[in-house]
Every structure is written in C-alpha cells, then in structure tokens.
Amino acid sequence: IQMTQSPSSLSASVGDRVTVTCRASQTINRSLNWYQQKPGKAPKLLMYFTSNLQSGVPSRFSGSGSGTDFTLTITGLQREDFATYYCQQSHRAPYSFGQGTKLEI
Amino acid sequence: EVQLLQSGADLKKPGATVKISCKVSGYTFTDSFIHWVQQAPGKGLEWMGRIDPEDGDALYADNFRGRLTITADRSTDTVYMELTSLTIEDTAFYYCAPGDTLVRFDPWGQGTLVTVSS
C-alpha cells in the first residue's frame, strides 16, 4: 500500500491552522496513524486509528478521514509543533509510511 | 515506563553485517510485537519488519527480505536486527518500536546510526 502525503513542506506561522493530507493507494478503512519527528529525535506517535489522540498529545491536533483519504489538522500552531509529520497505514504489512511533511516557520 | 534502549552507533564496510540490539523494559516482553524502521539521513521512514517475541515469528518487508533477520531473546528481553551485505545505501538510523494490535508504534527506541563506508 503506497502512502502519499501532501504537501511535502509547508510554511506557517504561530497561531495558524494547518492541514496535512495523506492518501492511500487502496482502502485502509481507518487504519491510519500519525507521527511527529523533530530533528535528531525518534518519531513520536501523535494519533492512531485516524482520529484518536495519543495520551499527552494536545487537543489542537485532530485527525479525520476513512478509506483512502485522511487529514491531520493543527489548530493554533505552537512553536513546538514545527517538525516533520508522517502518516503510516496500519491496515496490513508492510506498514508503509508517507514521505513526510515538513512544517516550517 | 516503557523504554527501548538500542545499541550504539556502528561503522561498517560495504559487504559487512551489522547487528543492532533493542532492550525492552517497562512491560511484559511477549505482549507486543517489535518492529524495525529504517531512516536514511534526511529521508523518510521505511518499515523493515517485525517479530513476535512470544514465538519468534518474524515478518519482513520485500525490500529487506533475504538480508534481514530479526530475533528475540526472551531471557534478556532483547530484540536483535541483523542486516547483511551492507551497501552505502544502508547508511541510516534504525529504530525499534513496540506495535500493539492497532499497529501503532509507541514509544520508539532512541535510534542507532549505522554508517556504511569504505
């Protein structure tokens, strides 16, 4: 299953609302996770099964979608949100990732 | 607290083999599969494979099948990832992470940098 994210990079400002899109090459129902990665760090799970916030993740993060099209939305960007975001399908192995979206100031 | 502690950075020559360890703590070792993910410098994430520590059953991505072996040692709660016939393209960070029934990877190990250079 191929996962395609858009955009590859995104410039935004503190306080903005941004949306990242992830598209699967075939239906994955709602089996879609999102990760955040900061430079020099391991990825961190943000959201699972499309719209469920991982414990400790701020509520400004939200997710939606089903089938093949999914979105990650950050409402009210904070400085600490500038990072790279990856989607990952958990429908079946191999558990492929999107190519990443770099969110820059 | 769940923690995954990986072995340190390694430098290998082309054609060599690397073996990375991932020691698990904070939960019952056999409760979750352990997955491995590759990330070349400045690039994205690629799922490599996973193991069920309960019975040692391993599943590999096509891109690595034939070169990759993942094993688990229940006596030390440690998973090993061995990659053979290394090329320069295998220069990357390698991460381990437990995956539950929803196949959500959390938390991740700190990563191990493998550099392949002649």
Side-chain angles (χ1 to χ4, degrees):
Chain A
I1 299 173
Q2 305 299 318
M3 305 300 293
T4 305
Q5 283 182 239
S6 61
S8 297
S9 63
L10 176 59
S11 294
S13 301
V14 172
D16 283 356
R17 178 178 184 270
V18 299
T19 297
V20 179
T21 297
C22 181
R23 174 165 288 175
S25 61
Q26 58 186 264
T27 183
I28 57 171
N29 301 319
R30 290 174 59 82
S31 301
L32 192 283
N33 304 324
W34 289 97
Y35 299 86
Q36 177 193 66
Q37 187 178 33
K38 295 183 178 180
K41 299 293 187 182
K44 170 189 167 185
L45 177 67
L46 279 184
M47 199 162 313
Y48 61 95
F49 208 61
T50 297
S51 58
N52 295 274
L53 276 179
Q54 179 66 353
S55 175
V57 174
S59 59
R60 61 180 179 270
F61 291 89
S62 62
S64 65
S66 67
T68 60
D69 295 315
F70 302 86
T71 59
L72 170 70
T73 299
I74 312 171
T75 302
L77 269 175
Q78 299 297 304
R79 187 160 293 271
E80 61 266 28
D81 300 335
F82 291 95
T84 300
Y85 294 85
Y86 295 93
C87 62
Q88 173 236 338
Q89 64 84 12
S90 54
H91 184 63
R92 63 175 173 81
Y95 301 109
S96 39
F97 292 86
Q99 80 278 18
T101 295
K102 186 174 184 179
L103 179 54
E104 300 174 296
I105 299 174
Chain B
E1 180 190 6
V2 175
Q3 288 189 322
L4 288 86
L5 184 62
Q6 298 182 222
S7 49
D10 209 344
L11 173 62
K12 294 292 185 184
K13 294 191 183 299
T17 294
V18 69
K19 190 170 185 177
I20 301 169
S21 65
C22 171
K23 182 169 176 57
V24 167
S25 62
Y27 73 96
T28 302
F29 184 57
T30 52
D31 279 356
S32 293
F33 292 2
I34 295 291
H35 299 255
W36 287 90
V37 175
Q38 181 193 59
Q39 185 173 39
K43 303 296 184 182
L45 304 168
E46 183 170 9
W47 183 82
M48 301 175 70
R50 64 87 174 137
I51 190 166
D52 179 356
E54 174 73 40
D55 60 9
D57 177 57
L59 180 67
Y60 304 116
D62 285 349
N63 284 352
F64 298 97
R65 192 168 293 128
R67 295 200 300 135
L68 175 63
T69 303
I70 303 174
T71 56
D73 183 343
R74 292 173 61 174
S75 69
T76 60
D77 291 356
T78 302
V79 172
Y80 297 92
M81 187 279 287
E82 182 176 83
L83 192 61
T84 64
S85 303
L86 292 170
T87 70
I88 291 174
E89 287 69 38
D90 293 316
T91 294
F93 284 91
Y94 293 85
Y95 295 97
C96 61
D100 63 6
T101 53
L102 294 176
V103 199
R104 47 181 177 172
F105 303 155
D106 179 70
W108 294 52
Q110 84 274 21
T112 298
L113 176 61
V114 175
T115 303
V116 183
S117 173
S118 55

